[in-house]
Amino acid sequence: MNDSQNTDHRDELYIPLGIKAEQDVIPGFGKKETIQVGVILALTLAGVIAYYTAFQDAFGAVIALMLIGSTAMILIRKNENNQSVVDLARHVFTYYRSQRNYKYLYLNEWKV
């Protein structure tokens, strides 16, 4: 009996998890993500320094740096499925933009 006649034979699909296109510098952060976070933190630091020189508010400057920095890290870090929050939001946005709404007019074909 060959495999095409065997009813107990099933083809199974194995999808491995945790395989990434590039090696992580830090878990969840590849080279691209590390550069993105670095640029965001550099811009945030420049903004915080400008804020501090204008208002002399050290507490506000530190809180802003911590909030913006931690938010950037959370949004950019990739999970075990190799997707970040930004990637997921981009997929959802693309999906909803690709959906079409068609309006139909009901006509009774059987009525004369």
Side-chain angles (χ1 to χ4, degrees):
M1 202 191 291
N2 60 19
D3 284 326
S4 63
Q5 294 173 349
N6 188 356
T7 58
D8 295 335
H9 178 71
R10 294 186 320 174
D11 289 331
E12 294 185 9
L13 177 63
Y14 173 70
I15 301 174
L17 295 176
I19 296 178
K20 303 195 178 197
E22 59 184 39
Q23 188 174 2
D24 288 348
V25 177
I26 302 169
F29 289 96
K31 184 178 179 182
K32 178 181 149 191
E33 292 82 19
T34 305
I35 291 171
Q36 288 175 343
V37 169
V39 168
I40 290 172
L41 289 179
L43 293 173
T44 303
L45 187 60
V48 165
I49 290 171
Y51 174 79
Y52 180 73
T53 56
F55 298 106
Q56 299 296 318
D57 181 18
F59 181 73
V62 170
I63 293 298
L65 181 64
M66 288 180 9
L67 284 176
I68 295 171
S70 61
T71 302
M73 292 179 77
I74 289 170
L75 292 177
I76 294 175
R77 183 181 182 272
K78 295 197 179 264
N79 62 11
E80 62 273 356
N81 295 327
N82 203 24
Q83 287 189 330
S84 66
V85 176
V86 175
D87 294 336
L88 292 172
R90 187 178 302 133
H91 293 312
V92 169
F93 181 73
T94 304
Y95 171 76
Y96 281 114
R97 290 219 21 174
S98 69
Q99 298 302 302
R100 301 288 183 245
N101 186 10
Y102 297 102
K103 297 186 180 193
Y104 293 98
L105 179 64
Y106 173 74
L107 300 174
N108 190 352
E109 298 175 10
W110 302 105
K111 186 176 181 182
V112 178

